[in-house]
């Protein structure tokens, strides 16, 4: 089998801007009891905190990886690293080439909805229609004056957060790639739509594609081929869902014990997962 994505012992840090660095030096000096005049700069204990530490994972082509973890644990940074925007300080990343990325914050450019999905690529009716259906956009288009040819511009139709999210997902899926990175694609969607899109688009339509999906939903973790759980930049767990239950029993039973966890909004799920990870990592 061919490797879809592999990380071997990867660590990375975001470069700190010079202003932040200067502020940090001043704080460190103050904490160490040094004077903080302009001529009193002491460079002590200055280090850049890694955002990701010793990450190992391996996906075969066509596999789905679910990336979960606490807030600020490095989930988006992991995707930025695959994109090449965050360069590893250590380790190796391998993947098979063309990447399509759907960012956490959806964006729309002026133009028609269709332009926003095609984003410069040629219109292929079959491909386009199956994606629109899988992203639950058909019914939305039926309500618009010119369907998907309705221009989105200032003073024109305003889209809901959920519509924007689904258009951005459709754009990422329309692009032909070897690896798809979907950063929290279900934010702003109601539970029913999230369920439909995960099933029809991420699992079925994209079944043969290598996928990296940032999500904290248990149902998604169960159906993913591999799970990576991040906490403070560390890999708290990597493996399958049954391995998670075996290797992290406290964490698993805490989360599985929260009734309706999967049926609350993605944002609140994130907070609960953060708190759960904090508790279990303190206990260890
Ligand atoms: P998560 O997606 O798990 O919430 P992030 O990867 O967004 O976590 O953030 C992890 C850490 O990296 C945070 O401390 C955040 O401030 C920092 N970070 C994220 N993106 C950037 C960036 N583009 N430049 C500098 N620091 C960043």
């Amino acid at each position: 089998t061919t490797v879809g994505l592999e990380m071997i012992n990867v660590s990375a840090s975001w470069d700190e801007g010079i202003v932040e660095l200067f502020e940090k030096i001043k704080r460190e000096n103050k904490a160490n009891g040094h004077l903080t005049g302009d001529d009193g700069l002491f460079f002590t204990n200055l280090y850049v905190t890694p955002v990701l530490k010793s990450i190992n994972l391996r996906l075969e082509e066509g596999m789905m990886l679910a990336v979960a973890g606490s807030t600020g644990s490095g989930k988006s940074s992991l995707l930025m690293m695959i994109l090449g925007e965050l360069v590893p300080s250590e380790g190796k990343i391998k993947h098979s080439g063309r990447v399509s990325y759907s960012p956490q914050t959806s964006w729309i450019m002026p133009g028609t909805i269709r332009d926003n999905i095609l984003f410069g690529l040629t219109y292929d009716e079959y491909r386009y229609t199956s994606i629109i259906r899988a992203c639950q956009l058909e019914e939305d288009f039926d309500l618009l004056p010119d369907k998907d040819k309705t221009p989105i511009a200032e003073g024109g139709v305003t889209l809901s957060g959920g519509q924007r999210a689904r258009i951005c997902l459709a754009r990422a899926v329309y692009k032909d790639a070897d690896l798809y990175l979907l950063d929290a694609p279900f934010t702003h969607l109601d539970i029913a739509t999230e369920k439909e899109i995960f099933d029809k688009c991420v699992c079925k339509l994209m079944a043969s594609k290598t996928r990296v999906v940032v999500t904290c939903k248990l149902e998604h973790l169960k159906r993913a081929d591999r799970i990576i759980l991040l906490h403070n930049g560390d890999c708290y767990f990597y493996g399958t869902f049954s391995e998670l239950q075996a290797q992290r029993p406290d964490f698993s039973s805490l989360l599985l014990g929260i009734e309706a966890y999967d049926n609350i909004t993605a944002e609140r799920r994130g907070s609960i997962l953060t708190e759960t990870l904090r508790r279990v990592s303190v206990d260890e």
Side-chain angles (χ1 to χ4, degrees), residues 14-15 51 69-78 80 104 183 214 230:
W14 285 109
D15 279 336
V51 63
S70 44
T71 313
S73 61
K75 301 184 293 296
S76 296
S77 301
L78 188 85
M80 299 312 265
Q104 200 177 348
D183 197 347
V214 176
L230 299 171

Side-chain angles (χ1 to χ4, degrees), residues 25 32 34 38-39 45 51 53 72 105 107 114 127-128 141-142 192 206 218 228 230 241 261 275:
I25 293 165
N32 295 335
H34 296 306
D38 281 340
D39 50 357
N45 296 328
V51 63
K53 293 166 246 173
T105 320
W107 55 270
R114 187 184 286 193
R127 186 178 177 82
Y128 184 82
F141 293 171
D142 288 342
M206 303 179 82
L218 287 170
I228 187 161
L230 299 171
F241 193 79
Y261 170 80
E275 183 56 29

Side-chain angles (χ1 to χ4, degrees), residues 55 65 76 167 241 279:
I55 305 295
L65 172 74
S76 296
I167 290 169
F241 193 79
R279 287 194 190 180

Side-chain angles (χ1 to χ4, degrees), residues 11-120:
S11 299
S13 309
W14 285 109
D15 279 336
E16 288 183 83
I18 194 71
V19 175
E20 287 78 15
L21 207 55
F22 191 78
E23 289 302 317
K24 192 168 174 180
I25 293 165
K26 284 215 278 196
R27 278 200 306 275
E28 302 257 340
N29 285 344
K30 223 175 225 163
N32 295 335
H34 296 306
L35 289 170
T36 49
D38 281 340
D39 50 357
L41 278 179
F42 288 88
F43 292 78
T44 53
N45 296 328
L46 197 68
Y47 58 91
V48 184
T49 331
V51 63
L52 289 163
K53 293 166 246 173
S54 309
I55 305 295
N56 286 287
L57 58 89
R58 189 179 189 279
L59 296 184
E60 281 157 23
E61 241 170 39
M63 277 191 173
M64 190 206 304
L65 172 74
V67 182
S70 44
T71 313
S73 61
K75 301 184 293 296
S76 296
S77 301
L78 188 85
L79 269 51
M80 299 312 265
M81 210 159 62
I82 301 168
L83 279 170
E85 304 221 358
L86 172 62
V87 180
S89 50
E90 273 173 73
K92 265 190 193 151
I93 301 180
K94 273 189 246 172
H95 64 79
S96 42
R98 299 166 306 162
V99 180
S100 183
Y101 167 62
S102 165
Q104 200 177 348
T105 320
S106 54
W107 55 270
I108 298 287
M109 55 163 197
T112 66
I113 297 178
R114 187 184 286 193
D115 293 338
N116 265 282
I117 294 169
L118 298 178
F119 200 57

